[in-house]
Amino acid sequence: MSKSAFSRRGVLKSGALAGGGLALPTIFTASSAAAFTNDPTGSSVTLGFNVPQTGPYADEGADELRAYQLAVEHLNGGGDGGMMNTFSSKELQGNGILGKEVKFVTGDTQTKSDAARASAKSMIEKDGAVMITGGSSSGVAIAVQGLCQEAGVIFMAGLTHSNDTTGKDKKANGFRHFFNGYMSGAALAPVLKNLYGTDRNAYHLTADYTWGWTQEESIAAATEALGWNTVEKVRTPLAATDFSSYIAPVLNSGADVLVLNHYGGNMVNSLTNAVQFGLREKVVNGKNFEIVVPLYSRLMAKGAGANVKGIHGSTNWHWSLQDEGSQAFVRSFGTKYGFPPSQAAHTVYCQTLLYADAVQRAGSFNPCAVVEALEDYEFDGLGNGKTLYRGDDHQCFKDVLVVRGKENPTSEFDLLEVVEVTPAAQVTYPADHPMFAGGALGSCNSGA
């Protein structure tokens, strides 16, 4: 990358012009115009892994931490190298990042935005983290992404499915590998049409925060375009554990499909309550009552057990995929931990490698150099096929999987099966799509 290109990304901007960096007196000095937040001057570099270790998404957080530790091991030359061996880029050599040993610190987001921001702020100011990654909630991701933009560090989002993360709340310092609500709707709608027809009445239960709102909007729009009627949209608290009072009204609503815009422990509990109320045995409007879970994961399927059988949804990745990258990751993760990885684990492992690779290609940890290296970057070999990190909004575009709960699982991990691989072209949308409008990417902030 040329110096002129580097300067265009805003490396020499002052804090006021580039987003007003946080005050970081012990770890950041502005003695040089080209200085940046937490420039790793020693023999190591610190990454911040900010995940839900408590709260409704704690299972995902635990698997994210496992994958982060595996990624660090591989970057530092340990283990079998995992997807570093299948990644289309060959910059990573197992000698850290730019020759610096990779170290890390961890935090608990508690699936709460304020706690997540506080944790990330501590990692940046006290621990010298040059990159923050993690999260299993879009509310958390958006909050921490905003903080990283202000602080002048890169944010590599973990699980975040809200359209807003790379829509109205997108930031130049933030990047998302995970897919989003719009993509789930685009992938699921044709499958639902073939399965259940075009004359359906849908009742939505929705987690009451940014992810649930945009997931509900996306699925409702995609199914209404088929001819479905949306009967009701009901918001539920993220902290809810018993959904019985929300399920009961569905019985008298005239709906013949229940859409659960829930994730993690919320989905496990709401689906369990729905089954307890006998919804799956009912016939309404002359049709078998159906349940749809737009965003699925293996960890959720495990928690819900037999209740997931035959229920369709979408997912970003699944351990049963047979491509070279997926197999390499499953082998590495399984050898270390004794069971296959979740999509949460896969996502954050990829994000860690993608950040390290961008630094290698840029030849610098400067956030603006990393932004330049990641924008419009095309790659392969990380388990999702050919993938583009679009420069306009920092959203990855790749194939999306439609899955369903297996009727006859062979193990506690073999609970979902892929029924459709939706090509990236079918889930790609213009950067100015109305569901993603309202925000500006802005310029990178290096903290200088």
Side-chain angles (χ1 to χ4, degrees):
M1 181 178 62
S2 68
K3 288 186 178 180
S4 61
F6 196 8
S7 298
R8 284 199 302 273
R9 297 306 307 167
V11 175
L12 302 182
K13 288 183 178 179
S14 68
L17 291 176
L22 291 174
L24 307 171
T26 61
I27 54 178
F28 166 61
T29 61
S31 58
S32 165
F36 58 91
T37 302
N38 295 339
D39 181 1
T41 56
S43 61
S44 65
V45 59
T46 300
L47 308 181
F49 301 151
N50 205 22
V51 305
Q53 299 182 50
T54 56
Y57 295 167
D59 286 346
E60 280 74 17
D63 227 33
E64 286 179 324
L65 275 184
R66 295 182 189 107
Y68 281 133
Q69 292 169 21
L70 183 63
V72 169
E73 180 180 322
H74 290 166
L75 288 172
N76 287 332
D80 62 7
M83 286 197 288
M84 281 171 47
N85 300 316
T86 62
F87 190 12
S88 56
S89 174
K90 301 305 176 187
E91 294 289 330
L92 300 173
Q93 302 298 315
N95 61 344
I97 307 176
L98 291 184
K100 296 182 183 292
E101 179 187 5
V102 181
K103 296 185 177 180
F104 65 90
V105 291
T106 66
D108 181 9
T109 68
Q110 304 174 42
T111 320
K112 297 176 181 177
S113 296
D114 289 347
R117 279 180 65 96
S119 178
K121 189 171 188 288
S122 177
M123 290 176 180
I124 296 167
E125 294 186 350
K126 295 181 180 179
D127 301 308
V130 72
M131 183 270 277
I132 301 294
T133 178
S136 291
S137 153
S138 289
V140 162
I142 288 168
V144 175
Q145 180 170 259
L147 176 85
C148 289
Q149 181 69 35
E150 297 164 9
V153 301
I154 292 293
F155 177 63
M156 300 296 283
L159 287 193
T160 168
H161 194 242
S162 170
N163 293 342
D164 292 346
T165 308
T166 46
K168 72 179 184 63
D169 294 306
K170 59 183 174 287
K171 295 288 186 289
N173 282 40
F175 291 84
R176 170 163 62 179
H177 179 270
F178 206 63
F179 69 147
N180 57 46
Y182 175 91
M183 295 174 175
S184 285
L188 272 172
V191 175
L192 297 178
K193 177 182 178 181
N194 292 336
L195 287 169
Y196 308 136
T198 58
D199 181 21
R200 284 286 186 167
N201 294 298
Y203 193 110
H204 289 251
L205 289 182
T206 300
D208 192 13
Y209 75 107
T210 179
W211 168 67
W213 307 332
T214 65
Q215 176 65 91
E216 176 190 89
E217 178 188 24
S218 299
I219 296 296
T223 54
E224 287 169 8
L226 303 177
W228 288 27
N229 173 49
T230 301
V231 174
E232 191 70 72
K233 297 177 178 178
V234 177
R235 304 288 168 81
T236 62
L238 184 58
T241 56
D242 185 349
F243 293 85
S244 300
S245 62
Y246 296 100
I247 300 294
V250 178
L251 298 168
N252 301 312
S253 67
D256 46 50
V257 176
L258 173 61
V259 181
L260 294 176
N261 299 301
H262 289 157
Y263 193 73
N266 285 168
M267 174 271 185
V268 170
N269 292 325
S270 62
L271 177 59
T272 299
N273 290 155
V275 172
Q276 289 171 341
F277 271 77
L279 288 185
R280 300 198 69 184
E281 284 76 48
K282 292 193 176 297
V283 175
V284 180
N285 304 323
K287 306 177 184 69
N288 291 332
F289 194 98
E290 304 292 348
I291 299 175
V292 177
V293 177
L295 180 58
Y296 239 142
S297 80
R298 178 186 66 76
L299 297 173
M300 290 158 56
K302 181 180 179 181
N307 295 331
V308 303
K309 291 184 177 181
I311 290 181
H312 287 73
S314 66
T315 191
N316 192 66
W317 177 85
H318 192 256
W319 67 269
S320 67
L321 293 174
Q322 295 301 300
D323 63 277
E324 187 181 29
S326 294
Q327 289 185 313
F329 180 55
V330 171
R331 184 167 52 251
S332 292
F333 191 97
T335 298
K336 188 173 180 68
Y337 299 112
F339 49 84
S342 64
Q343 67 171 354
H346 172 261
T347 296
V348 301
Y349 179 94
C350 289
Q351 285 286 71
T352 307
L353 261 58
L354 285 164
Y355 171 78
D357 174 71
V359 172
Q360 288 284 149
R361 290 185 292 109
S364 172
F365 287 99
N366 190 306
C368 293
V370 175
V371 169
E372 184 80 18
L374 281 173
E375 286 187 337
D376 292 320
Y377 180 49
E378 295 183 88
F379 56 90
D380 203 346
L382 293 185
N384 289 113
K386 292 182 179 180
T387 303
L388 167 69
Y389 240 135
R390 186 162 69 180
D392 289 336
D393 50 12
H394 298 182
Q395 172 66 54
C396 268
F397 289 90
K398 54 192 182 297
D399 297 347
V400 171
L401 307 180
V402 176
V403 296
R404 70 178 167 218
K406 268 195 170 183
E407 294 289 350
N408 298 296
T410 59
S411 75
E412 62 177 310
F413 308 110
D414 182 38
L415 302 176
L416 299 176
E417 58 186 341
V418 178
V419 297
E420 185 91 17
V421 179
T422 308
Q426 185 176 318
V427 300
T428 298
Y429 51 87
D432 61 353
H433 187 284
M435 286 188 186
F436 296 83
L441 190 65
S443 298
C444 73
N445 176 24
S446 68

